[in-house]
Amino acid sequence: MSKARLGNVLIGQSGGPTAVINQSLVGIVETCRESGRFDRVIGALHGIAGILDGKFVDLGRESKKTLEAVARTPSSALRSVRKKPTTEECRAILHRIEELNVHAFFYIGGNDSAETANLIDQMAREEGWELHLFHVPKTIDNDLLVTDHCPGYGSAAKFVAQAMMGDNEDNRSLPGIKVDVIMGRNAGWLTAASVLARRHEGDGPHLVYVPENDFSMSSFLGDVERTYKERGRCIVAVSEGIHAKGGAQLIVEGEKDSHGNAQLSGTGALGDFLAAEIKRNLGSKLRVRADTFGYLQRCFAGLASEVDAREAREVGRAAAQAAIKGKQISGSIAIRRKDKRAYEVAYDVIELSRVAKNTRPLEERFIQGSNDIHEDFLEYVTPLVGELPKTAHLTEHPL
Amino acid sequence: MSKARLGNVLIGQSGGPTAVINQSLVGIVETCRESGRFDRVIGALHGIAGILDGKFVDLGRESKKTLEAVARTPSSALRSVRKKPTTEECRAILHRIEELNVHAFFYIGGNDSAETANLIDQMAREEGWELHLFHVPKTIDNDLLVTDHCPGYGSAAKFVAQAMMGDNEDNRSLPGIKVDVIMGRNAGWLTAASVLARRHEGDGPHLVYVPENDFSMSSFLGDVERTYKERGRCIVAVSEGIHAKGGAQLIVEGEKDSHGNAQLSGTGALGDFLAAEIKRNLGSKLRVRADTFGYLQRCFAGLASEVDAREAREVGRAAAQAAIKGKQISGSIAIRRKDKRAYEVAYDVIELSRVAKNTRPLEERFIQGSNDIHEDFLEYVTPLVGELPKTAHLTEHPL
């Protein structure tokens, strides 16, 4: 393997942040620096927007101490962007990359960011460039194709589990009907993680609705009524992406980003709508509450899953190593689960086009009917989240 | 001090749960059991509702291991209730207490629960009963009179701080205007704790609105516009209890409990309303998001403040010791801060009537103008919350 200098490295972060996306950033930076093969490790601020606007920082001069502290800080330290580049913008980005003598470009993000990377990669190949371009996966939605799971998901799932554990105790103490809206535009992976909160007989969530199923208001109301009658209380976990038959949204929101995604988060509208429907149909005197877990799910400070943090670092390192080895011109990193029982993973380099744009729904085998998650899902999700706090109930000996 | 048997003990939990209210329960149970002075330690399920309905459990038979595990579990293990007893119900409660040969009754709750305790205590005294009745304080709102702070507050403040720390990084990475609605019906204590998230120059929350100030929509919109222009982003912490001049609610909600409190939590309505007003007045293309921290603030599993957990245990123990010593017939426990710098506290027994019903607003010296918290507040709140996770930003060396 030649030890020749390879020019510079460029890194950007894109899409919704996660609690561990900076681990991936630091994994790339440290691997590139350790290799001694690059002149400069450059960061673009706000992803491709920073490349277009010429907003760069020198990551080669950050101290190890700062990098380690940044790795443990939630959200995207290089700032983020939600932007799909036009053909002209792709060309401008490539020119900037040439200007900066960039040998390897790393783009940390989800499926939309992989699409952006793929567009730039395709143009680079068409025009005969020798750019190494790697997408480094992150998304709390866990909906990237190919990979067993996505960095960022384990930490968000841990937040959802601990929130639901607490909410279950809250609802047990002051009974009523509680609707909890959980992130997940296209896929129910994060909503499914709420079942980690079932620690004792009778614990919620008692009903779980994911966007992989069409949502029927009448079935929902029937489920809630039956559960409330049986248990005297009912906690519902609902994905923000639930929709009526044919994909129709339950309530209409206005805003869309340049990838065509409607705004679902940052509003309590869906939860309030479902709570109002329950009251209107099942009784206005019922105690019905709704919480929308919102942005807290993806960036809560100090709650990252250890496994998730470690793997996020490793996908960054794996991408940097792939670029240094040079076997592949471009690609994305996928996590492969080698051993289920001992939980061991490997990192594969896969083709960019395989993760770009499209998303992976919650697997069918993990969905139980129209309103629950199959217990097999626990085997899948538990190692990603790590240890959860212990909760206990009184034995309640009779007098 | 006589070692005579004193009859039985009765304990109830009431009002909104907290992350550490079970510490107080266990503090009472263990102190009463250790004293050897009581025949039975009885728990009423759902507070006074359980007393009226005859729903009791024998806490004397719970193992130490179970009690310790319950102490670390959020929310009210004996279940809770929001109920103000009528005169007839007070009489029925007293008769049940006589039937059960109760020497000491402990009611763990906030100001409404103290009012309930006070009503029962007054009737007991008028009718010449020798009932020891102690209110044991808890509330995430931190709005009880006399006490320096309330058990439950430190843990909720820790949640708010960590949520806001993460949200600040989130908003820094994808800039826009963010409204975070925080619990606090009458008092801004919990909303004020959001300023713990200011760790670096420019960190949010940039604006803080508490119910101690009248809320003016035009000032609010002016504040947001100015901050957004200056910083390119704006995070707002808003108490759910903010109101227009004269106490008028900004949006009208329907539900009220028997203490006359309107439902403020369990809905995203206030946040969505403020976000909509911002868009309507400052520009429909602005990225405006709202999160309502909701019930997660009070019962999140695995995030209790250590100081808060210890003090919640101690107020339970102090109440039990007061009942055993018998110097006071009834009372509540207040935490007194003995030494500010070393943070040391003492537990005082105070008269029930002093904490019943009324609430304590955020002190004036902690409020900075119409939209911020004074830095002196940090000295007050920091020891209650304990250590927060570290976050760091890149130095951003220029290329």
Side-chain angles (χ1 to χ4, degrees):
Chain A
M1 198 170 86
S2 140
K3 288 278 177 192
R5 304 291 278 189
L6 298 170
N8 296 328
V9 167
L10 180 62
I11 312 173
Q13 291 175 309
S14 172
T18 80
V20 297
I21 188 171
N22 290 332
Q23 292 281 0
S24 300
L25 169 65
V26 173
I28 301 166
V29 173
E30 67 186 1
T31 307
C32 290
R33 284 177 17 167
E34 283 158 19
S35 76
R37 303 287 294 279
F38 301 102
D39 295 323
R40 284 176 131 173
V41 180
I42 303 167
L45 296 179
H46 295 294
I48 57 168
I51 303 179
L52 290 165
D53 298 346
K55 289 189 180 154
F56 300 105
V57 295
D58 188 347
L59 294 170
R61 288 166 62 200
E62 296 286 350
S63 73
K64 275 193 181 181
K65 197 182 149 191
T66 298
L67 288 176
E68 281 304 331
V70 165
R72 288 188 298 273
T73 300
S75 188
S76 312
L78 284 174
R79 329 296 174 86
S80 193
V81 70
R82 289 190 184 283
K83 184 178 176 57
K84 180 177 172 176
T86 62
T87 306
E88 262 178 48
E89 284 170 334
C90 283
R91 189 158 288 124
I93 289 165
L94 281 174
H95 283 143
R96 185 72 80 165
I97 279 173
E98 185 175 31
E99 236 172 59
L100 288 171
N101 189 29
V102 171
H103 173 84
F105 174 35
F106 300 94
Y107 210 42
I108 312 170
N111 62 304
D112 287 334
S113 311
E115 187 188 5
T116 294
N118 198 34
L119 290 171
I120 298 170
D121 182 56
Q122 280 173 350
M123 183 179 281
R125 289 181 185 229
E126 277 162 23
E127 306 200 351
W129 291 54
E130 274 227 11
L131 176 66
H132 286 69
L133 200 165
F134 287 88
H135 168 253
V136 179
K138 75 81 213 163
T139 169
I140 65 160
D141 293 336
N142 204 40
D143 61 354
L144 293 182
L145 291 166
V146 188
T147 191
D148 176 78
H149 57 279
C150 305
Y153 172 65
S155 299
K158 187 179 175 191
F159 179 92
V160 167
Q162 291 187 213
M164 187 59 84
M165 284 174 73
D167 206 42
N168 172 64
E169 299 301 329
D170 195 317
N171 180 263
R172 188 172 176 264
S173 117
L174 287 170
I177 296 163
K178 179 75 193 297
V179 177
D180 286 327
V181 179
I182 297 169
M183 275 186 170
R185 183 191 305 279
N186 304 302
W189 293 101
L190 194 55
T191 303
S194 65
V195 302
L196 283 166
R198 293 176 182 159
R199 319 298 282 182
H200 319 91
E201 177 63 29
D203 279 354
H206 306 109
L207 299 167
V208 185
Y209 299 91
V210 292
E212 285 76 5
N213 288 325
D214 288 337
F215 184 84
S216 148
M217 185 57 80
S218 62
S219 304
F220 168 73
L221 293 169
D223 293 346
V224 170
E225 188 173 29
R226 195 176 51 252
T227 307
Y228 186 69
K229 266 191 189 156
E230 274 171 28
R231 301 183 180 274
R233 69 188 187 101
C234 179
I235 300 192
V236 187
V238 175
S239 171
E240 64 180 6
I242 56 164
H243 51 77
K245 212 166 176 176
Q249 274 191 258
L250 297 177
I251 46 172
V252 178
E253 296 289 330
E255 211 170 310
K256 287 195 179 190
D257 70 14
S258 66
H259 289 277
N261 304 311
Q263 185 204 329
L264 296 175
S265 304
T267 159
L270 177 61
D272 289 351
F273 168 71
L274 293 174
E277 285 296 297
I278 292 169
K279 281 199 168 192
R280 196 164 65 83
N281 289 280
L282 305 184
S284 63
K285 293 207 164 169
L286 287 171
R287 180 175 184 269
V288 187
R289 301 287 186 269
D291 271 332
T292 302
F293 288 3
Y295 291 107
L296 274 49
Q297 295 163 90
R298 66 187 192 190
C299 280
F300 199 84
L303 204 86
S305 145
E306 280 175 42
V307 169
D308 191 27
R310 189 167 62 239
E311 292 180 349
R313 186 77 154 245
E314 287 303 318
V315 294
R317 295 188 63 93
Q321 280 154 6
I324 294 165
K325 283 186 190 152
K327 228 171 72 187
Q328 295 97 342
I329 294 291
S330 62
S332 179
I333 308 300
I335 301 176
R336 179 162 41 87
R337 201 181 292 227
K338 286 161 70 180
D339 188 326
K340 266 199 244 179
R341 278 154 306 176
Y343 188 71
E344 213 183 314
V345 298
Y347 302 92
D348 297 333
V349 181
I350 61 168
E351 272 179 46
L352 253 182
S353 59
R354 293 180 68 194
V355 286
K357 200 170 177 181
N358 294 318
T359 56
R360 176 181 66 146
L362 179 62
E363 286 175 40
E364 250 178 64
R365 66 188 173 108
F366 294 148
I367 300 172
Q368 173 104 27
S370 63
N371 60 21
D372 207 355
I373 299 302
H374 194 278
E375 60 176 16
D376 282 358
F377 179 71
L378 288 174
E379 190 182 39
Y380 170 86
V381 76
T382 300
L384 313 183
V385 168
E387 210 168 332
L388 290 169
K390 305 261 180 297
T391 55
H393 294 159
L394 292 168
T395 318
E396 301 192 352
H397 299 279
L399 258 204
Chain B
M1 196 171 83
S2 140
K3 288 279 177 192
R5 304 293 277 189
L6 298 170
N8 296 328
V9 166
L10 180 62
I11 312 172
Q13 291 176 311
S14 172
T18 81
V20 297
I21 188 172
N22 290 332
Q23 292 280 359
S24 299
L25 169 65
V26 171
I28 301 166
V29 173
E30 67 186 1
T31 307
C32 289
R33 284 175 18 166
E34 283 158 18
S35 76
R37 304 287 294 280
F38 300 102
D39 294 324
R40 285 176 130 173
V41 181
I42 303 166
L45 296 179
H46 294 293
I48 57 168
I51 303 179
L52 290 165
D53 298 346
K55 289 191 180 154
F56 300 106
V57 294
D58 189 347
L59 294 170
R61 288 167 63 200
E62 297 285 351
S63 73
K64 274 192 184 182
K65 196 180 150 193
T66 298
L67 288 176
E68 280 305 331
V70 166
R72 286 189 299 274
T73 301
S75 187
S76 312
L78 284 174
R79 330 296 173 85
S80 192
V81 68
R82 289 192 184 280
K83 183 177 175 60
K84 180 178 172 175
T86 62
T87 307
E88 261 177 48
E89 284 171 334
C90 283
R91 188 156 289 121
I93 289 165
L94 282 173
H95 283 144
R96 185 71 82 166
I97 279 173
E98 186 176 32
E99 237 172 57
L100 288 171
N101 190 29
V102 170
H103 173 83
F105 173 36
F106 301 95
Y107 211 42
I108 312 170
N111 62 304
D112 287 334
S113 310
E115 188 188 6
T116 295
N118 198 34
L119 289 172
I120 297 169
D121 181 56
Q122 280 173 348
M123 183 179 281
R125 289 181 185 229
E126 277 163 23
E127 304 199 353
W129 291 53
E130 275 228 11
L131 176 66
H132 286 69
L133 201 166
F134 287 89
H135 167 253
V136 179
K138 75 82 211 161
T139 168
I140 65 159
D141 293 336
N142 204 40
D143 62 354
L144 294 181
L145 292 165
V146 187
T147 192
D148 176 78
H149 58 278
C150 305
Y153 172 65
S155 298
K158 187 178 174 191
F159 179 92
V160 167
Q162 291 187 215
M164 187 59 86
M165 283 173 74
D167 206 41
N168 173 63
E169 299 301 329
D170 195 318
N171 180 262
R172 187 171 176 266
S173 119
L174 286 171
I177 296 163
K178 180 73 194 296
V179 177
D180 286 326
V181 179
I182 296 169
M183 275 188 169
R185 183 190 305 278
N186 304 302
W189 294 101
L190 194 55
T191 302
S194 65
V195 302
L196 283 166
R198 293 175 183 160
R199 321 295 284 183
H200 319 91
E201 177 64 29
D203 279 353
H206 306 110
L207 299 167
V208 185
Y209 300 91
V210 292
E212 285 75 5
N213 288 325
D214 288 336
F215 184 86
S216 147
M217 185 57 79
S218 61
S219 304
F220 168 73
L221 292 169
D223 294 345
V224 170
E225 188 174 29
R226 195 175 51 253
T227 307
Y228 186 70
K229 266 191 190 157
E230 274 172 26
R231 301 183 180 274
R233 69 187 187 102
C234 179
I235 300 192
V236 187
V238 175
S239 171
E240 64 180 6
I242 55 164
H243 52 76
K245 214 168 177 174
Q249 273 191 260
L250 297 177
I251 44 172
V252 179
E253 295 290 331
E255 213 170 309
K256 286 195 180 190
D257 71 12
S258 66
H259 291 277
N261 303 311
Q263 184 204 331
L264 296 175
S265 304
T267 158
L270 177 61
D272 288 351
F273 168 72
L274 293 174
E277 285 296 296
I278 292 170
K279 279 200 167 193
R280 196 164 66 83
N281 289 280
L282 305 185
S284 64
K285 293 208 166 171
L286 287 171
R287 181 177 182 268
V288 187
R289 302 288 186 268
D291 271 331
T292 302
F293 289 2
Y295 291 106
L296 272 51
Q297 294 163 92
R298 67 187 191 191
C299 279
F300 199 83
L303 205 87
S305 144
E306 281 175 40
V307 169
D308 191 27
R310 189 167 62 240
E311 292 180 348
R313 187 76 155 245
E314 287 303 318
V315 293
R317 295 188 62 92
Q321 281 153 5
I324 293 164
K325 283 185 190 152
K327 228 169 73 185
Q328 297 97 341
I329 293 291
S330 61
S332 179
I333 308 300
I335 301 176
R336 178 162 42 85
R337 202 182 291 228
K338 285 161 70 178
D339 188 325
K340 266 200 248 180
R341 276 155 308 177
Y343 188 69
E344 212 182 313
V345 298
Y347 302 92
D348 297 333
V349 181
I350 59 168
E351 273 178 45
L352 252 183
S353 59
R354 293 179 69 195
V355 286
K357 202 169 177 181
N358 294 319
T359 57
R360 175 182 67 146
L362 180 61
E363 287 175 40
E364 249 178 64
R365 66 188 173 108
F366 294 148
I367 300 172
Q368 173 104 26
S370 63
N371 59 20
D372 207 354
I373 299 301
H374 193 278
E375 60 175 16
D376 283 357
F377 179 71
L378 288 174
E379 191 182 39
Y380 169 85
V381 76
T382 299
L384 314 182
V385 168
E387 209 168 332
L388 289 170
K390 305 262 181 296
T391 54
H393 294 160
L394 292 168
T395 319
E396 301 192 352
H397 299 280
L399 258 204

